[in-house]
Amino acid sequence: MADRHAPYTVLSVARLLAEHWDLRVDDVTPLEGGMNSLTWEVRSGGTRWVVKAVEPEAGEAFARGLRLAERLERAGIPAGAPVATPGGRSTVPFGGRSAALLRWVEGRALTGESRADLETMGTTLARAHRALGTGDDTDLAPARLFLPTEHLDVRPWLGPVVTEVLDRLNGPGLPALTWGPVHGDPAPDVFRTDPATGVCGMIDWSGTGVWPRAYDLAALVMYRGAEPMRPLLDAYVAEGALTRAEVDRSLGLLLDYRWAGQAVYFARRIARGDLTGLPDPAMNEAGLEAARQWFAGRA
């Protein structure tokens, strides 16, 4: 398999840090994982950071996520906030991408396999949502949910499914939902608990947006189903970010939206031949097929 970090060499990362952050590093190690970005662990003395680089089209969401991470860290939730350059910038150009130097978040990545993990995830997510409030940095939230439509012809079933899901979510009969900045792509391993302090943080805010808060819950439930994730949902509600009634009435709809989003995402990757983060083109096909099966089972 080709090196997914090429042509961004270890030396080029070291030069980037020296030029923009005046940081001389002892070690740079490419990190695996992540389908939408490139990351490296960097060390200098006893301190660790992460360098993250995203494609230009993801730059706006990346910048928004960095601002949210700063807000979360001010609220006491470790989030991998950016380290500003001496000139005050959070991001700099890097080989056609946008790169940032992020604080390292200590701790064990959670798996969601235990009740304790799930309760910690639910509590931490609710605390993050409450800390971020119900508006974005301009206090303007979008009025409708949307999905990109440029690659819906990749499969004949895709266009009708996306249209139907969006019609239901944006219809006049949908009860009001609580909107605010959300993570956008939470998985169990974005939650990290520091064993020394017991504090749990949330990393990787580069996919953030202003959507219904319950979208993040749907994204997590998508991994295992609502019943196995019940401890997470209960812990989230107990923390007061949403009422039980809102979670119950919105979760199914937002699960459909999340699956439709996955279908559009993998259709786009297939259309573009994008293999970022994947060792095999079949994995794009598998992601799209999983979405098809979800909707086939809902019919």
Side-chain angles (χ1 to χ4, degrees):
M1 181 178 64
D3 179 6
R4 60 186 296 260
H5 288 81
Y8 302 91
T9 65
V10 165
L11 182 59
S12 69
V13 175
R15 282 199 300 261
L16 175 84
L17 296 173
E19 177 182 355
H20 292 284
W21 281 272
D22 197 23
L23 179 63
R24 271 62 182 175
V25 297
D26 301 322
D27 185 64
V28 178
T29 304
L31 297 174
E32 297 304 321
M35 295 174 61
N36 305 305
S37 62
L38 299 175
T39 53
W40 297 261
E41 176 186 344
V42 298
R43 294 175 180 257
S44 179
T47 305
R48 287 191 289 181
W49 297 269
V50 170
V51 172
K52 184 167 188 171
V54 303
E55 295 283 1
E57 62 197 45
E60 183 177 345
F62 187 40
R64 182 196 297 269
L66 297 179
R67 293 193 295 271
L68 295 185
E70 290 175 327
R71 289 168 57 184
L72 288 170
E73 294 206 341
R74 288 196 294 269
I77 301 171
V83 178
T85 69
R89 300 179 62 183
S90 294
T91 63
V92 297
F94 182 39
R97 291 176 178 250
S98 179
L101 178 65
L102 310 179
R103 296 189 183 96
W104 184 268
V105 175
E106 295 290 346
R108 172 182 69 89
L110 302 189
T111 65
E113 295 297 321
S114 68
R115 183 181 186 90
D117 271 14
L118 292 173
E119 290 175 345
T120 297
M121 290 160 58
T123 297
T124 303
L125 179 62
R127 289 175 178 170
H129 283 172
R130 292 179 62 195
L132 294 175
T134 55
D136 64 6
D137 9 40
T138 61
D139 287 327
L140 294 174
R144 295 171 62 86
L145 290 165
F146 68 94
L147 289 168
T149 59
E150 62 266 36
H151 299 298
L152 298 188
D153 58 349
V154 166
R155 296 292 185 276
W157 58 269
L158 187 51
V161 159
V162 169
T163 298
E164 189 268 338
V165 168
L166 291 178
D167 284 348
R168 282 193 290 125
L169 279 165
N170 293 316
L174 182 68
L177 300 178
T178 303
W179 289 62
V182 300
H183 185 279
D185 193 24
D189 61 0
V190 309
F191 297 88
R192 291 180 176 268
T193 297
D194 186 345
T197 63
V199 173
C200 184
M202 282 187 74
I203 63 171
D204 194 12
W205 287 82
S206 56
T208 188
V210 180
W211 299 316
R213 282 180 173 175
Y215 176 83
D216 276 349
L217 292 176
L220 287 163
V221 166
M222 180 179 172
Y223 285 94
R224 295 175 58 198
E227 197 51 43
M229 299 295 266
R230 183 60 57 187
L232 183 153
L233 298 174
D234 290 344
Y236 181 91
V237 169
E239 195 64 28
L242 290 177
T243 65
R244 171 72 64 186
E246 181 168 345
V247 171
D248 288 346
R249 74 171 181 255
S250 63
L251 191 59
L253 285 169
L254 289 168
L255 267 170
D256 281 352
Y257 179 64
R258 173 67 177 180
W259 277 108
Q262 170 159 322
V264 169
Y265 173 75
F266 281 106
R268 174 179 173 272
R269 287 174 65 94
I270 290 167
R272 295 185 174 188
D274 184 355
L275 300 181
T276 305
L278 296 179
D280 186 339
M283 296 180 71
N284 280 332
E285 295 287 350
L288 185 57
E289 174 60 16
R292 188 197 66 78
Q293 291 182 12
W294 168 264
F295 289 108
R298 304 275 286 178

